[in-house]
Amino acid sequence: MRLTIDLTLQPPLPTARGLTGTQSAPIERGKKSYAPGMDFVQLRRDRGEVLVIGLGNPLLGDDGVGWHIAQQVERELVGASAPVEVDYLAVGGLALMERLAGCRRAIIADAIVTGQTPPGTLYRLALDDLPAAFAGHLHSAHDASLAVALKAGAALGIPLPEQVYIFGVEAASVCDFAETLSPPVAACVPQAARAVLEVLRQFELEDSGSDFS
Amino acid sequence: MQQRITIDPITRLEGHGKIEIFLDEEGNVANTYFQIPELRGFERFCVGRPVEEMPLLTNRICGVCPEAHHMAAAKAADAVYHVDPPPAAKKLRELLYSAFYVTDHTTHFYALGGPDFVMGPDAPPAERNILGVIHKLGLEIGGKVIQARKYGHAVVEIIGGRKVHPCTSIPGGLTKGITEDQRRDIEEMGRWAIEFALFSLELFDQLVLQNSAYLEMIIGDTYTHRTYYMGMVDERNRVNFYDGRIRIVAPDGEALGSYPPHHYIDWIAERVEPWTYLKFPYLKKVGWKGFVDGKDSGIYCATPLSRLNVADGMATPRAQEAYEKFYDTLVLEEGKRYSSTYPTKVVHHRLATHWARLIELLYAAERWVELATDPEITSDNVHTVPTEKPTEGVGCVEAPRGTLTHHYWTDERGILTRVNLIVGTTNNYAPISLSVNKAARSLIQRGTIVTEGLLNQIEMAFRAYDPCFGCATHSLPGQMPLEVTIRDADGNPVEVLRQHC
């Protein structure tokens, strides 16, 4: 299969439609099997799924901002019938790629440290745009960058998302143990959550559009 | 004469593998400094929490080896409550841990260490990764790597209750055992893992050992440091990852001794240097002699290579065969060069760590099957209820990147009052600094700087240790971003080299 990663910056979308009323089928999960010879590809065949990942270490202050964003998104989605799964991870590289396997679209929220913008600045990033120093958790210093991991996964025939959106929030403090965010970073969480919801809404419009095509 | 340079604390590192090289007036290397970030406030963060939380909390410290922190914390919590888990609980924990080792060592070899050999050490950094390996060696190998990771994750999930961040270890054992169906699945996956480990060793043999240039690179002086070694051994002095005594062996192969984990304070001291926040652990009984190797210097190393060096062998048959081949080959090669000085069974070549890691991979897979076929493994008796008053305890395991020690103190209710951790890689801070210094000296002479090779050489040395400073996925983003600043005798920057940043 061909892996395409959407790199374009999308304009804000009209908010006429809510997240309800989607036509997508509910997610079906097959029974897990670990039997040897079982193909990885068959393990997660729940295509159609949208996955939102809060990435980072929730114990390291602003490093956990991705978790806070994902939590807010999850709260907003309560009651919505949209087939969106929210997960919280502290892994990068191959492990992140493995988690993305089987879903059609993914949105990742993470902390970044560019040192060039004030804490709390929201970035919408593309995988290939990320120099290593920007990349936060998307890279793992112990195996591969997410971009390399996704290419490797695609080469191996693992079903990976057609679209990966990344939101990053400039962090202030990522080296001190704490479960709270610094004020400017905390202040950015609602805006970041809205941006994630906006993308979810866009997915929904794309899907409903294709129903009529 | 080297000019005295004061390094301002604000230039201390945040987020990079930052290296400062100072030259003397002749243009030779006077000094090197390798600085790394340190996470702060962990003790403050933990104090006031119940000790039972630690296996869950510490496994969040790190996205790379959460299982290691989970195990060390669980063992320390057992010790705090003076409780001995039932045999089945210990075996299940070790089984989970063996499967984790298979995942971790596999990933390291195929995604990090291996590409230097598969693609060649001079290939562009952008090609020296798992994608390059797949392209060069074929999709089948990539599929096996993913399969090995998947099986490792599966065992962690079955025994540990969830993927990556296990949650079933509590003081006195585990919250649940496994069923016969699960046991059968685990055994089957383990048998596959043994085949995969044998395949990996065969691949290493073909790729590296049968290539005289690579063998020369491993044996050569650049990546050789004659330090002490540390590692955990069982009652017969064989490598063990989960439990045992910590053994120390001198550069000439003589055993300095061994200690139970709770005696670590008598053996390990920490050196403070003004230019870095992180401390350098060294052997108390030998003493700190500066950044030098040899028998008089207390610098020690704790890696897969170290674990093989301190042990008398491996506890499983095929890993033992691989172990014997390792020493037969490398001690023979070593003997050809340095036999007069070091006739004994210790390998000092840091690049041999990659080979040692694959031998440990085989051991972990064999141990996985051994434990999965143990008649006791499906026992329901997986928890001993703690009855004693909690006080203080130490828990130790071998993390893939070195000996990991957790030390907790609590009040009579089990609330933490003090915490001390020595994480795997910290053990290796001094040896890595030696490697940086040696690389700099071999490539900078009389003002001539071989910039091309410098970063590569340093990076290859790093990879052998797979440093995980700060124990967070975040602190070293990317593929070990490196920044090397070379300064003249007056402290002015002559050259700044960067890779992955």
Side-chain angles (χ1 to χ4, degrees):
Chain A
M1 67 161 272
R2 200 168 67 89
L3 175 76
T4 42
I5 298 162
D6 191 333
L7 305 177
T8 52
L9 198 75
Q10 303 287 339
L13 289 154
T15 54
R17 283 173 61 100
L19 283 161
T20 52
T22 173
Q23 301 299 307
S24 308
I27 305 160
E28 275 187 19
R29 291 183 176 282
K31 187 185 171 292
K32 270 185 190 160
S33 167
Y34 303 111
M38 179 73 181
D39 186 2
F40 187 87
V41 179
Q42 292 170 343
L43 198 66
R44 295 180 58 92
R45 264 290 175 202
D46 35 10
R47 308 286 287 163
E49 181 185 344
V50 178
L51 180 61
V52 175
I53 294 177
L55 204 60
N57 187 336
L59 306 185
L60 277 179
D62 291 343
D63 204 44
V65 65
W67 287 46
H68 290 258
I69 296 166
Q71 270 160 7
Q72 181 139 350
V73 169
E74 198 170 12
R75 277 196 297 271
E76 301 276 339
L77 288 174
V78 170
S81 61
V84 176
E85 190 185 353
V86 181
D87 202 357
Y88 304 85
L89 296 176
V91 294
L94 291 177
L96 180 55
M97 179 276 284
E98 287 161 353
R99 181 63 189 89
L100 293 175
C103 73
R104 190 154 66 94
R105 292 151 165 165
I107 306 171
I108 297 169
D110 192 9
I112 56 168
V113 181
T114 70
Q116 290 157 22
T117 50
T121 306
L122 179 65
Y123 284 83
R124 178 163 167 170
L125 300 163
L127 278 179
D128 289 356
D129 287 350
L130 299 172
F134 264 46
H137 302 92
L138 299 172
H139 285 62
S140 165
H142 298 276
D143 48 62
S145 70
L146 180 60
V148 166
L150 285 174
K151 283 179 193 157
L156 296 172
I158 295 171
L160 289 166
E162 293 151 18
Q163 294 164 304
V164 178
Y165 289 77
I166 300 157
F167 291 98
V169 176
E170 179 85 33
S173 164
V174 294
C175 282
D176 292 283
F177 281 95
E179 281 174 302
T180 49
L181 302 176
S182 66
V185 172
C188 179
V189 170
Q191 183 199 351
R194 272 198 305 279
V196 172
L197 291 165
E198 205 58 50
V199 174
L200 291 174
R201 198 164 289 129
Q202 177 194 329
F203 288 162
E204 198 193 347
L205 281 177
E206 283 170 15
D207 286 349
S208 63
S210 65
D211 287 346
F212 300 102
S213 60
Chain B
M1 255 303 282
Q2 186 214 344
Q3 196 144 321
R4 189 186 153 79
I5 307 291
T6 310
I7 299 176
D8 191 293
I10 59 161
T11 66
R12 284 176 184 179
L13 170 82
E14 293 287 323
H16 280 252
K18 200 163 158 189
I19 293 164
E20 300 265 347
I21 300 172
F22 288 78
L23 306 181
D24 61 17
E25 276 162 5
E26 256 93 69
N28 292 317
V29 174
N31 252 320
T32 57
Y33 301 94
F34 169 42
Q35 300 174 298
I36 50 93
E38 191 206 16
L39 304 180
R40 294 173 296 257
F42 185 67
E43 171 156 355
R44 198 173 57 233
F45 186 77
C46 297
V47 166
R49 294 173 188 267
V51 69
E52 300 90 293
E53 263 189 36
M54 292 304 273
L56 298 177
L57 194 66
T58 55
N59 85 20
R60 287 282 177 205
I61 296 178
C62 172
V64 176
C65 49
E67 292 89 346
H69 281 293
H70 182 71
M71 287 301 158
K75 289 181 71 186
D78 293 342
V80 162
Y81 276 99
H82 315 284
V83 63
D84 193 27
K90 290 186 196 170
K91 285 173 185 169
L92 281 167
R93 283 186 188 170
E94 190 181 347
L95 174 54
L96 179 158
Y97 205 49
S98 302
F100 156 65
Y101 253 81
V102 167
T103 305
D104 198 272
H105 277 4
T106 296
T107 307
H108 184 282
F109 179 70
Y110 287 95
L112 262 191
D116 283 337
F117 296 110
V118 177
M119 310 306 290
D122 302 323
E127 288 171 22
R128 274 183 289 137
N129 55 37
I130 192 166
L131 197 58
V133 171
I134 292 171
H135 282 157
K136 190 144 178 196
L137 299 181
L139 288 178
E140 199 199 335
I141 285 183
K144 281 180 198 273
V145 172
I146 296 293
Q147 189 85 334
R149 288 175 54 84
K150 192 187 72 170
Y151 287 168
H153 293 327
V155 175
V156 169
E157 191 178 5
I158 293 170
I159 301 170
R162 63 184 180 200
K163 280 197 182 93
V164 186
H165 299 283
C167 60
T168 49
S169 282
I170 52 171
L174 293 167
T175 54
K176 66 176 190 72
I178 57 169
T179 65
E180 172 55 26
D181 280 355
Q182 289 173 323
R183 190 209 63 76
R184 207 177 306 117
D185 276 350
I186 293 173
E187 181 191 340
E188 226 177 318
M189 290 187 277
R191 294 199 183 281
W192 184 91
I194 292 176
E195 293 306 314
F196 173 72
L198 289 167
F199 164 84
S200 302
L201 276 162
E202 179 59 33
L203 184 70
F204 188 82
D205 193 85
Q206 284 174 19
L207 265 177
V208 182
L209 302 179
Q210 291 178 26
N211 181 328
S212 57
Y214 283 160
L215 198 57
E216 194 53 45
M217 186 168 79
I218 290 176
I219 305 280
D221 184 61
T222 311
Y223 297 103
T224 301
H225 304 287
R226 292 164 204 287
T227 59
Y228 282 80
Y229 298 97
M230 171 188 284
M232 192 181 268
V233 290
D234 67 13
E235 67 287 347
R236 289 169 59 194
N237 284 338
R238 300 170 307 185
V239 171
N240 195 288
F241 301 142
Y242 176 73
D243 206 15
R245 292 172 73 87
I246 311 301
R247 195 172 194 222
I248 313 281
V249 163
D252 60 4
E254 195 191 326
L256 187 68
S258 71
Y259 61 90
H262 65 279
H263 287 176
Y264 80 100
I265 298 246
D266 300 335
W267 286 75
I268 310 297
E270 291 181 309
R271 167 81 183 177
V272 177
E273 288 283 322
W275 48 272
T276 174
Y277 288 110
L278 205 76
K279 293 169 193 154
F280 295 88
Y282 65 95
L283 298 169
K284 232 179 205 174
K285 293 181 195 295
V286 186
W288 178 263
K289 304 285 157 48
F291 291 94
V292 287
D293 61 359
K295 203 172 178 179
D296 296 331
S297 168
I299 290 180
Y300 67 91
C301 182
T303 60
L305 176 65
S306 309
R307 288 189 284 259
L308 265 55
N309 276 341
V310 303
D312 294 341
M314 309 301 285
T316 56
R318 281 161 156 178
Q320 174 63 22
E321 280 170 31
Y323 173 95
E324 284 164 17
K325 182 178 173 186
F326 178 85
Y327 284 103
D328 286 350
T329 308
L330 293 177
V331 172
L332 184 74
E333 292 293 333
E334 166 104 1
K336 286 179 195 163
R337 290 164 176 78
Y338 319 102
S339 56
S340 55
T341 347
Y342 289 102
T344 52
K345 188 231 85 173
V346 175
V347 167
H348 297 288
H349 315 297
R350 295 308 190 241
L351 294 190
T353 309
H354 298 297
W355 189 0
R357 194 172 279 115
L358 292 179
I359 295 167
E360 286 195 337
L361 170 67
L362 178 55
Y363 163 68
E366 285 187 292
R367 187 75 184 131
W368 171 347
V369 172
E370 221 171 68
L371 288 162
T373 50
D374 188 297
E376 222 173 5
I377 205 76
T378 48
S379 164
D380 294 336
N381 181 16
V382 292
H383 188 229
T384 305
V385 179
T387 52
E388 288 194 41
K389 203 161 76 173
T391 52
E392 178 192 344
V394 177
C396 223
V397 292
E398 283 298 323
R401 290 154 192 84
T403 312
L404 173 63
T405 307
H406 283 213
H407 189 176
Y408 308 148
W409 292 259
T410 71
D411 65 14
E412 73 287 350
R413 296 166 303 154
I415 303 296
L416 288 158
T417 54
R418 209 182 139 196
V419 169
N420 187 36
L421 261 55
I422 301 179
V423 300
T425 294
T426 313
N427 295 303
N428 299 316
Y429 191 14
I432 294 172
S433 298
L434 293 181
S435 295
V436 169
N437 191 280
K438 207 163 188 177
R441 283 178 198 279
S442 73
L443 293 171
I444 302 175
Q445 269 149 18
R446 298 198 162 274
T448 309
I449 302 165
V450 188
T451 53
E452 275 300 296
L454 190 59
L455 284 169
N456 260 358
Q457 199 153 319
I458 289 171
E459 213 190 359
M460 278 189 72
F462 279 163
R463 277 200 218 286
Y465 301 93
D466 190 18
C468 187
F469 286 113
C471 260
T473 48
H474 186 270
S475 46
L476 289 175
Q479 297 169 303
M480 192 68 193
L482 278 180
E483 188 179 304
V484 179
T485 308
I486 302 167
R487 297 177 190 273
D488 64 16
D490 299 321
N492 302 315
V494 184
E495 193 94 59
V496 179
L497 311 171
R498 290 193 181 89
Q499 191 153 299
H500 302 306
C501 63

